[in-house]
Amino acid sequence: MSAESRAAPSGSQGTGAVHLVWAGWPTALAGHGRTVSAGGVNQVFPLPGRRWWTGLPPAAGAAVMAAGILSVGLHLTGFDGLSLAALVLAAALWLVLAADFTTRLVSDRGRFEAEADTPAALTAVAATTVLGTRISQLGWQGLAVALLVLAAVLWPGLLIAVVRHWKRRMPGAAFLVCVATQGLAVLAATLAAALHQDWLARAALGAFCLGLLLYAFALVRFDFREVLRGAGDHWVAGGALAISALAGSKLTASPVWTGSAHTALRTVTLVALALSLGWYVLLLAAELRQWRPHYDIRRWATVFPLGMTATACLSAAGPTGVAWLRPLGEVLLWIAVGAWLLTFAALVATASARRSRNP
């Protein structure tokens, strides 16, 4: 939803963290007016004296996605107070990033167009759909519809720009083509149930099928070395399947499909969920083997898949008739909450260390 420079040649992942200077939560995602290379991606930050919210990297959108999906999961488990707190945080960050996105579009079209072809740009769509899904759960269907329309307008242009600039070896952010598309499916299916609009359910099914196809395309180009050395966005390889399972669970619950269509949707949902859990185990094992404790803004793209896997389990338990998915989802949800807290603590520690070096 904001500014990031063009990705460097794929397959190159550095070990340096993206260090951020901040004054409050949103400012933590801004920087010092210079280009910092981290993990092969050049992060461009605003110059001194400029407003802090200009020049935020698109990867910051993953922070909205992480808080938003935790809000959805916490609502499903009955922790509405914590859910609303996470929603407020996600909404505030979304507004900050939307302001940056709009400013860039209006005042610096050249830079906007150059940055729009990076996979992280699709967090604009994904974050909007996650936020819309939680807002729909609150009963604010008009606002949720507006967010769906906004996401649907942004999606094709960003998707085409990203796919046109795909390379042979891509980081985990490549799977955002699937995440953004499945985000549309999730929100459309949610609104179809809330508004009793069958055409929205059919549109959601179309997005769901396209999202699965895009996942396959991204998987072919994914650099599997990222599993051991990724800066955080490699977790999206599993998170994309988790949001596919979430979309599938909502479609399975829809009364629009019965008989063999319902059975097929249930089967695909369970397969996607099983594969996402497989990625979860693999990526967790890789993290323990190749410990990467430093803070990187792309660590929010680790928290999002953790929360999404938990939410997919919670959502799929009922429509698929696999009851044990709910307790599994509850356990995974608190793991995701812990990961959010650890990532935030790492952000604070990194910012504090930088401040002490540059008073």
Side-chain angles (χ1 to χ4, degrees), residues 70-125:
L70 287 181
S71 179
V72 173
L74 288 166
H75 170 71
L76 292 176
T77 53
F79 292 90
D80 287 333
L82 289 176
S83 175
L84 288 174
L87 175 61
V88 169
L89 179 59
L93 284 170
W94 185 90
L95 289 172
V96 168
L97 294 171
D100 187 22
F101 182 94
T102 303
T103 300
R104 189 74 57 211
L105 177 63
V106 171
S107 63
D108 195 350
R109 288 297 296 274
R111 185 175 175 184
F112 174 86
E113 290 172 1
E115 293 158 348
D117 58 30
T118 61
L122 284 166
T123 60
V125 177

Side-chain angles (χ1 to χ4, degrees), residues 27-49:
T27 342
L29 300 179
H32 256 336
R34 58 194 180 92
T35 301
V36 179
S37 178
V41 178
N42 293 325
Q43 307 285 359
V44 179
F45 297 118
L47 296 172

